[in-house]
Amino acid sequence: ISAGYFSQKLEIPSVVFEAAEQAGGLLDNFTIEGFRFDNAIHLSFATEPEVREVFDGTPYITHLAISWCWDNNIWIKHPVQNNMFSLPIDEKVDLISGFVERLEIQVNNYRDWLIYQYGETIAHRWSLPYTEKYWTIPAEDLGVGWIGDRVRRADLREVLRGAFTSETPNHYYTKEMRYPKHGGFRSFIEPMIDEIDIRCNYRVKKISLTLRQIYFENGEVVNYDTLINTLPLPAFINMIDEVPEDVRLAAESLFATSVDLISVGF
């Protein structure tokens, strides 16, 4: 949708083919007994002017990005290493000592990075178990190129302040979350959908890179000059006839290509 929207702005003819009955994909929603649920969880915290130019045309609500972590019957504000005030003194001493005494190590993966940043005690109490729960794989199987500003770097002054007082600043990597007042998260992208040539009920069956043709389950065949794919990579690769076997095997190794979401209305 974004590619179609900006190609139109550049006066490049384009068509978006959508498998579902309605555009939006993971940004779309469904309704059950009056409750509207997004297909996946979304909140806007974008700062890029190109995004805000589109999204800010939709009335939205905002809230501060304050997150809490549950630890042994205690709520601890995120990030936990900077908010240890409510923990017993002996535990705070052990955690802070481990942080101060951490060694210089070579960082080869995310596990190394966490131990280097926070020390063994903090990493083993919080960071490593959380990583495996959230990403479903051990930290040593993750790289470090994705981190950016998403994970708070350790700072001794911040750690000590959070151990002495509950009055700590918000260190979440984004300060404000935004969500449309009406219509679910899809409302943010409706101005783009309205501007583009989008055709629904077009589910791809096969793609020929040699002939530059897309074969749809409804029987239609479409020629293209340039193809932009947004399907999960393993699904996309399996639709192409001319894919080398090593590429196909590599694509099949990518497992994090879908999301299961449990929605609760109350």
Side-chain angles (χ1 to χ4, degrees):
I1 291 171
S2 179
Y5 176 77
F6 284 101
S7 68
Q8 295 284 66
K9 280 184 169 292
L10 296 169
E11 299 183 352
I12 301 171
S14 64
V15 180
V16 177
F17 293 101
E18 167 60 50
E21 295 180 358
Q22 175 172 284
L26 291 178
L27 303 188
D28 200 6
N29 56 68
F30 57 93
T31 302
I32 298 176
E33 297 182 10
F35 290 96
R36 179 183 288 109
F37 299 107
D38 290 312
N39 286 346
I41 296 172
H42 298 286
L43 288 164
S44 171
F45 49 86
T47 57
E48 296 84 358
E50 297 86 355
V51 181
R52 298 300 300 270
E53 179 186 349
V54 178
F55 281 23
D56 286 354
T58 300
Y60 57 80
I61 57 175
T62 64
H63 70 84
L64 298 177
I66 300 175
S67 298
W68 295 81
C69 305
W70 182 247
D71 177 88
N72 294 320
N73 295 319
I74 297 175
W75 284 108
I76 305 177
K77 192 165 66 173
H78 175 83
V80 283
Q81 74 274 2
N82 290 353
N83 294 280
M84 296 190 285
F85 178 71
S86 55
L87 294 179
I89 291 176
D90 288 344
E91 292 183 20
K92 286 192 280 190
V93 170
D94 286 341
L95 291 162
I96 295 173
S97 296
F99 170 68
V100 173
E101 295 165 1
R102 69 195 191 283
L103 302 174
E104 291 278 345
I105 62 172
Q106 182 176 343
V107 175
N108 298 312
N109 52 53
Y110 189 45
R111 184 183 190 277
D112 295 341
W113 188 90
L114 290 170
I115 292 173
Y116 170 74
Q117 282 291 323
Y118 307 127
E120 292 276 356
T121 46
I122 290 177
H124 282 282
R125 174 159 179 166
W126 290 313
S127 309
L128 295 172
Y130 172 81
T131 297
E132 191 154 352
K133 181 181 288 187
Y134 188 85
W135 293 110
T136 73
I137 58 176
E140 55 265 31
D141 292 341
L142 289 168
V144 296
W146 59 273
I147 297 172
D149 294 329
R150 292 181 178 88
V151 183
R152 185 73 177 178
R153 265 80 169 164
D155 180 282
L156 179 59
R157 290 179 178 274
E158 292 179 356
V159 171
L160 290 174
R161 179 179 179 83
F164 289 130
T165 177
S166 61
E167 300 298 319
T168 57
N170 180 15
H171 290 303
Y172 201 67
Y173 65 89
T174 180
K175 303 304 180 190
E176 178 185 81
M177 297 288 196
R178 299 180 291 274
Y179 192 84
K181 288 185 176 180
H182 305 286
F185 199 85
R186 185 180 193 274
S187 297
F188 276 146
I189 63 169
E190 282 178 351
M192 292 193 288
I193 293 174
D194 293 341
E195 296 266 337
I196 63 178
D197 181 357
I198 186 161
R199 303 175 193 181
C200 295
N201 296 306
Y202 275 79
R203 183 174 294 277
V204 180
K205 183 173 65 175
K206 188 176 71 170
I207 298 168
S208 172
L209 300 182
T210 305
L211 300 176
R212 296 197 173 194
Q213 289 182 328
I214 309 171
Y215 302 82
F216 295 97
E217 289 185 359
N218 60 14
E220 290 199 36
V221 179
V222 173
N223 296 298
Y224 67 86
D225 292 319
T226 302
L227 177 63
I228 296 176
N229 167 64
T230 59
L231 292 167
L233 194 55
F236 176 63
I237 292 296
N238 284 331
M239 293 173 179
I240 301 171
D241 291 337
E242 308 94 332
V243 175
E245 187 61 22
D246 59 336
V247 175
R248 192 182 303 279
L249 291 173
E252 290 175 357
S253 72
L254 300 175
F255 66 91
T257 59
S258 63
V259 58
D260 293 319
L261 177 65
I262 299 174
S263 299
V264 180
F266 59 90

